[in-house]
Amino acid sequence: MLNNKTILITGGTGSFGKCFTKYVLTHYNPKKIIIYSRDEFKQYLMQDEFKPYNNNNRLRFFIGDVRDKSRLQRAMAGVDYVIHAAALKQVPACEYNPDEAIKTNIHGAQNVIDATLDSQTVKKVVALSTDKAVNPVNLYGGTKLVSDKLFIAANAYSGTKDINFSIVRYGNVAGSRGSIIPLFRNIIQNGGSELPITDYRMTRFWISLTQGVELVIKALEEATGGETFISKIPSFKITDLAEAMCPGCTMPEIGIRPGEKLHEIMITVEDSPMTYEYDKHFIVYPQVTWNDRQTVNPSGKKVAEGFSYSSGNNTEWLSVEQIRELLKEVK
């Protein structure tokens, strides 16, 4: 479905944007991929990195900020699909600069919605969410919760236009900037044998960037409007990760950090009445139906009342040996 299509990615120079771009250029034949971001140096580096993939000049770079609605409107010309990945994501930075987080994560989200609704060509919009938007305990999570609600409600304003908005939700990607794997690796590479654990009970989901990209493509293929797509992925204990990376290391417990959760939560009990389980993912459907194009995929099974999905109550777990094997694929 991506062949001969024009795709715009906000925040396209980030880890997700680069992985998505490489995946699409490798597996499909898009007409054009527009990288929309505000950092000219990152765009320069990405242009150089992607020269081997950029045959027929299919990769375009558009400097702009999601805070600037008129610039977004200009960028949307001829676009078929929009992936909204731009956000301020660092929890401490958002806590210290709440107004900036609100401008980008909330006002920016509304600008993307308005620009796509005003477009005459955009057919599908997929916004990236985060586990932190579920029962948020920090400002970043709060802004992403509002962003999610805005994108879901945007389906109410589509009218007769052939356009829909959906959400893809996942947690920290293995090896992403600021996550635990680079931190542990840095300690080990500098000769350390003591890996700090904030709380011995802490768990996380394991998801790779490629899995995140594949979930977004599934949303582009299947969404009819308002769905939240969530991958079924394994959990791991942070203590097992430390053991996999540095066998026999000491693990001092240093205390949970402000705004941090013990477990990544993807689906709450309150979401269960509208949640369906599929072979490799869950979908939380919207509580409101705005048009006759919105449907429930009949191949799924409605989850039990009171169901929730978190890294702490998952049924699939990685062993130390499995984590060690997966780490070989994490750059």
Side-chain angles (χ1 to χ4, degrees):
M1 68 171 296
L2 300 183
N3 292 334
N4 202 36
K5 300 296 184 182
T6 297
I7 307 157
L8 182 142
I9 312 169
T10 68
T13 57
S15 299
F16 172 86
K18 291 198 288 187
C19 186
F20 180 89
T21 299
K22 190 173 293 186
Y23 187 98
V24 171
L25 290 175
T26 301
H27 293 84
Y28 299 90
N29 185 30
K31 180 179 180 181
K32 192 187 329 179
I33 297 179
I34 301 170
I35 304 300
Y36 184 95
S37 69
R38 61 186 182 178
D39 192 320
E40 60 179 333
F41 183 61
K42 286 182 180 178
Q43 289 196 4
Y44 167 77
L45 293 176
M46 187 172 174
Q47 277 181 292
D48 189 60
E49 179 184 349
F50 277 74
K51 281 180 181 177
Y53 301 90
N54 195 18
N55 56 311
N56 300 324
N57 199 29
R58 293 180 297 170
L59 196 56
R60 309 292 178 85
F61 292 85
F62 204 107
I63 293 175
D65 196 316
V66 293
R67 300 181 184 188
D68 185 344
K69 184 162 70 171
S70 62
R71 187 64 171 164
L72 277 168
Q73 289 171 326
R74 179 62 57 85
M76 293 293 171
V79 170
D80 298 292
Y81 303 138
V82 174
I83 313 299
H84 178 53
L88 293 182
K89 301 178 176 71
Q90 293 294 324
V91 170
C94 289
E95 293 295 319
Y96 190 69
N97 304 279
D99 53 337
E100 296 301 306
I102 290 167
K103 288 174 186 175
T104 296
N105 297 355
I106 297 178
H107 297 163
Q110 187 62 56
N111 287 338
V112 170
I113 291 166
D114 289 341
T116 53
L117 285 172
D118 291 341
S119 163
Q120 301 303 312
T121 59
V122 175
K123 298 292 189 295
K124 299 227 177 193
V125 183
V126 177
L128 301 192
S129 183
T130 169
D131 66 288
K132 296 170 185 66
V134 183
N135 291 344
V137 296
N138 53 55
L139 185 78
Y140 168 55
T143 60
K144 291 300 288 184
L145 169 63
V146 175
S147 174
D148 289 358
K149 296 294 186 182
L150 289 172
F151 276 99
I152 291 170
N155 291 281
Y157 300 93
S158 62
T160 58
K161 284 189 174 182
D162 182 19
I163 184 174
N164 68 59
F165 300 79
S166 61
I167 305 291
V168 161
R169 178 181 296 154
Y170 53 81
N172 287 338
V173 173
S176 59
R177 288 178 299 174
S179 63
I180 192 68
I181 292 175
L183 172 65
F184 282 177
R185 277 183 173 165
N186 185 57
I187 293 172
I188 294 166
Q189 288 168 359
N190 285 286
S193 60
E194 182 177 283
L195 301 183
I197 307 294
T198 55
D199 192 296
Y200 292 145
R201 298 167 295 171
M202 188 166 289
T203 66
R204 290 293 182 263
F205 285 109
W206 187 285
I207 188 169
S208 68
L209 268 176
T210 300
Q211 287 175 302
V213 167
E214 290 171 344
L215 187 62
V216 168
I217 292 174
K218 178 171 283 294
L220 285 172
E221 291 173 341
E222 297 184 5
T224 60
E227 303 96 327
T228 301
F229 290 77
I230 298 145
S231 286
K232 294 166 71 173
I233 47 180
S235 295
F236 65 94
K237 298 177 182 178
I238 298 298
T239 51
D240 285 346
L241 174 67
E243 178 64 25
M245 297 184 71
C246 187
C249 66
T250 56
M251 305 178 196
E253 190 175 35
I254 61 174
I256 198 165
R257 296 173 297 180
E260 189 175 38
K261 293 181 180 180
L262 282 178
H263 311 292
E264 289 183 331
I265 305 171
M266 297 294 180
I267 302 171
T268 65
V269 171
E270 290 75 20
D271 286 326
S272 62
M274 297 303 297
T275 301
Y276 285 71
E277 181 177 2
Y278 299 86
D279 185 31
K280 295 183 179 179
H281 64 286
F282 296 97
I283 296 179
V284 180
Y285 288 93
Q287 295 183 348
V288 178
T289 301
W290 296 282
N291 56 62
D292 57 9
R293 299 187 300 273
Q294 291 176 259
T295 58
V296 172
N297 186 329
S299 66
K301 177 183 177 183
K302 193 171 184 180
V303 302
E305 183 179 352
F307 171 85
S308 65
Y309 185 53
S310 82
S311 61
N313 69 4
N314 200 359
T315 57
E316 184 181 359
W317 290 83
L318 295 173
S319 67
V320 171
E321 292 75 19
Q322 289 172 318
I323 295 171
R324 194 169 290 136
E325 284 299 310
L326 287 170
L327 283 167
K328 295 176 182 179
E329 303 172 10
V330 178
K331 296 181 180 180

